[in-house]
Amino acid sequence: MALTSKTKIIATISTIAVLALAAFLYFRFLFVYSTGVNAGDINYFQQEGVVFKTYEGKMIQSGFKSARGMSNLQSNELKFSVTDQAVADSLMRCSGKHVELRWKRHLGTLPWRGNSQYIVTEILSVQ
């Protein structure tokens, strides 16, 4: 059975559309955009969710100190998610402590991966 030129065009366009969609989904949700290390104090770490139970936390990073060194003039927050159960169990015991965390960043979030683009993969140090 020979394909008509109209069928070939539709098949080609469909193939290109499926490949473009697959590439978009890969780069949006699976591609690791950046990796890094941040240090700060764990403000909170909790498990949350209705359907997908994910581990979510927030780390406060010290900013610039005043001239007398008495207080911080600026602080930054890092909201993050954790997918590894062992890392989550360790972070549950670190609330209020100064930690150094290794993370990877994705461009999009997935419900089973957490609410943040930043996924903590490792705890480097706890003080």
Side-chain angles (χ1 to χ4, degrees):
M1 182 164 114
L3 296 176
T4 64
S5 66
K6 185 177 181 180
T7 307
K8 288 180 183 179
I9 292 172
I10 291 173
T12 303
I13 291 174
S14 298
T15 302
I16 291 171
V18 167
L19 291 175
L21 179 64
F24 170 77
L25 292 175
Y26 172 77
F27 283 107
R28 180 77 178 162
F29 299 110
L30 300 176
F31 178 73
V32 176
Y33 177 72
S34 63
T35 60
V37 174
N38 284 48
D41 299 325
I42 296 293
N43 187 10
Y44 69 83
F45 187 72
Q46 63 191 12
Q47 186 179 27
E48 61 183 41
V50 176
V51 176
F52 296 104
K53 297 289 186 186
T54 60
Y55 292 98
E56 308 295 330
K58 181 166 58 170
M59 180 169 59
I60 306 297
Q61 301 168 293
S62 298
F64 300 105
K65 295 203 181 237
S66 66
R68 295 186 180 129
M70 300 296 282
S71 64
N72 291 328
L73 298 176
Q74 173 189 1
S75 64
N76 297 314
E77 293 180 349
L78 174 69
K79 292 183 180 180
F80 61 90
S81 300
V82 177
T83 57
D84 185 357
Q85 186 68 42
V87 173
D89 290 342
S90 296
L91 277 174
M92 283 288 188
R93 297 183 298 276
C94 292
S95 184
K97 295 183 180 176
H98 188 79
V99 297
E100 191 174 357
L101 303 175
R102 183 181 312 276
W103 51 263
K104 60 184 178 179
R105 180 178 176 209
H106 297 274
L107 296 175
T109 61
L110 293 169
W112 53 88
R113 193 167 60 198
N115 297 330
S116 175
Q117 294 178 340
Y118 294 91
I119 309 297
V120 170
T121 58
E122 182 182 1
I123 301 171
L124 299 176
S125 69
V126 178
Q127 299 172 0

